[in-house]
Amino acid sequence: MEYSPMPLLAAEPSFFPDTLFSSDVPEAVPDWLVVYTRARAEKALARSLLARGVGYFLPLHERRWLSPSGRTRCSYLPLFPGYLFLHGATESRWHALQTRMVSRCLTVTDHVALHRDLVRVYRLICSGAPLLPEERLEPGSLVEIVYGSLAGLQGKVIRRGKQLRLIVEVELLQRGVSVEIDSHMVQPVGKPPDPACLARKTAERLSHFQMGNSLAVRGDESDDPADCSVLTPPALEIEATSLTS
């Protein structure tokens, strides 16, 4: 009998309300509370809060794998296992405690700083790029993304083997979230780009891109477009901390 692949499960709402991250800096000082849940109760608590109309944020990332039978499996796991962020601490705390899924509460001393950290995490999730939880913070160079949908986002950049990864930190938890990036996407924070250098690098990338398209059109080495070589633009050099995998 022939089996069809297991359908992917839809992600549950990871935050409420929809306007929770409508601004990097809210008009009023946000009121956050961080709770540590009982084992594997993060999503159940989020569902309970959503049903009560209580504001929360549960950052999730997608994980896919193949089962022994070859079926595609998918799950959405917390980026910060055990932690859930409550919005509107006074009333939300009472609702959360009523569920009996909360182990303890963490006091937030700087609500604005936490909100900004969570906005950056939210932007990474919205990018759709594969994310990895970082259980401990590593030293790295502070950079800002200058190209793509994440332009303006700041974080630390580290090198792991051949990968360059941007880490967005949540200082209160001493944890973070990372995403793979290309070096030409970022520049060091506090160091304005040299206009002449930037113009030269842009011209180089355009030249290599056009050359790659020319090779793909001619198809000198193969009649199959998939076999044609397309050159990638050279990367801008940035400082990164070298780490072993």
Side-chain angles (χ1 to χ4, degrees):
M1 181 181 296
E2 183 177 350
Y3 293 94
S4 58
M6 176 70 68
L8 300 180
L9 299 177
E12 299 178 68
S14 62
F15 67 96
F16 178 84
D18 294 339
T19 58
L20 190 59
F21 298 115
S22 58
S23 173
D24 289 357
V25 182
E27 296 180 0
V29 176
D31 192 12
W32 286 102
L33 178 70
V34 182
V35 298
Y36 190 77
T37 70
R38 298 189 182 279
R40 298 183 180 180
E42 306 96 322
K43 295 169 74 173
L45 176 58
R47 286 191 292 267
S48 179
L49 296 174
L50 180 63
R52 290 173 167 84
V54 176
Y56 71 92
F57 181 36
L58 176 62
L60 302 172
H61 68 112
E62 182 182 86
R63 177 173 174 264
R64 298 190 185 197
W65 72 98
L66 290 178
S67 67
S69 62
R71 297 183 179 183
T72 300
R73 305 282 185 176
C74 176
S75 62
Y76 294 89
L77 305 176
L79 280 167
F80 306 102
Y83 292 97
L84 184 143
F85 304 91
L86 290 175
H87 187 256
T90 304
E91 184 177 355
S92 300
R93 177 175 182 169
W94 184 84
H95 285 292
L97 293 177
Q98 289 296 311
T99 66
R100 298 184 179 181
M101 301 181 201
V102 174
S103 176
R104 66 180 184 271
C105 300
L106 281 66
T107 302
V108 179
T109 57
D110 192 337
H111 295 268
V112 173
L114 177 59
H115 185 83
R116 287 173 176 166
D117 288 347
L118 296 183
V119 168
R120 286 192 280 266
V121 172
Y122 170 72
R123 286 194 62 187
L124 282 184
I125 295 173
C126 291
S127 72
L131 305 178
L132 289 179
E134 300 288 340
E135 295 187 358
R136 58 191 179 93
L137 302 184
E138 303 282 359
S141 302
L142 186 61
V143 299
E144 178 178 343
I145 295 183
V146 293
Y147 297 106
S149 60
L150 294 174
L153 187 68
Q154 294 185 359
K156 289 182 180 178
V157 65
I158 63 172
R159 187 177 295 279
R160 288 189 178 139
K162 296 182 179 180
Q163 282 192 355
L164 199 66
R165 301 194 69 85
L166 180 82
I167 297 181
V168 169
E169 301 176 350
V170 176
E171 292 188 8
L172 178 66
L173 303 184
Q174 287 296 292
R175 299 188 180 191
V177 182
S178 71
V179 62
E180 185 178 1
I181 58 172
D182 294 324
S183 60
H184 74 270
M185 298 171 59
V186 299
Q187 70 179 26
V189 171
K191 182 180 180 182
D194 181 2
C197 179
L198 184 60
R200 184 175 69 254
K201 292 295 184 180
T202 302
E204 289 175 355
R205 289 197 298 271
L206 180 60
S207 174
H208 281 261
F209 176 74
Q210 291 173 339
M211 184 182 300
N213 283 346
S214 176
L215 289 174
V217 171
R218 290 204 314 269
D220 294 334
E221 298 180 358
S222 172
D223 293 333
D224 184 0
D227 294 333
C228 298
S229 300
V230 177
L231 300 181
T232 56
L236 295 178
E237 295 182 358
I238 62 170
E239 294 184 358
T241 302
S242 297
L243 300 177
T244 57
S245 302

